[in-house]
Amino acid sequence: MSRERILLADDHALLLEAFKKLLEPAYQVVGTVTDGRALVEQVTKLRPDVVLVDIAMPKLNGLDACEKVKAVLPSARIIVLTMNDDAETAAEAIRRGALGYVLKKSASSELFTAIQTVLQGRTYITPVL
């Protein structure tokens, strides 16, 4: 059985490496990128099932990247993984195509719950909001 494919986008290399190590036992991490433009480029090449994206990234922020990702790969399920705990920002992320919104300060189990939820086509918003 093949594992779901995940693409990670964050401008902090250390966090990308940590998220990759955390997720690889359960999912196939197909790539990592450090800016929004690279994310859009790689989505078309790698065709991930799930995209984890930070909001604050260079060249193209995560919210704008959400819209562009959905335009080039409508089937992609996007989870915004951020430090931003503003409910209006979370609502904006959902309006722009994200299915999930998780805070980086959340427990790792919450990230896994969010991934499973969006893979089922449902929306996941961190309970903190």
Side-chain angles (χ1 to χ4, degrees):
M1 185 170 125
S2 66
R3 297 183 300 163
E4 288 88 357
R5 299 163 50 82
I6 296 183
L7 177 60
L8 306 172
D10 196 296
D11 60 328
H12 293 97
L14 184 62
L15 286 178
L16 281 175
E17 187 177 318
F19 288 134
K20 185 176 179 183
K21 286 191 182 299
L22 174 70
L23 296 170
E24 277 187 328
Y27 302 102
Q28 180 184 359
V29 177
V30 294
T32 62
V33 296
T34 58
D35 69 72
R37 284 192 192 140
L39 171 61
V40 177
E41 291 171 11
Q42 290 302 306
V43 159
T44 58
K45 293 176 186 172
L46 300 173
R47 306 189 64 74
D49 301 305
V50 177
V51 176
L52 295 180
V53 60
D54 188 18
I55 291 176
M57 290 190 301
K59 298 184 182 175
L60 185 67
N61 72 53
L63 295 177
D64 292 339
C66 284
E67 288 180 315
K68 293 190 181 295
V69 165
K70 290 304 279 187
V72 298
L73 186 65
S75 64
R77 293 164 180 100
I78 303 168
I79 298 173
V80 173
L81 186 56
T82 182
M83 302 261 311
N84 189 323
D85 62 359
D86 176 61
E88 186 53 42
T89 303
E92 182 66 17
I94 301 302
R95 282 192 290 272
R96 292 191 184 210
L99 275 179
Y101 196 90
V102 178
L103 299 178
K104 288 181 179 176
K105 66 182 180 182
S106 299
S108 61
S109 60
E110 184 176 349
L111 179 57
F112 283 96
T113 298
I115 292 169
Q116 287 305 102
T117 301
V118 303
L119 282 168
Q120 296 167 3
R122 299 187 345 246
T123 301
Y124 182 91
I125 306 289
T126 184
V128 173
L129 299 183

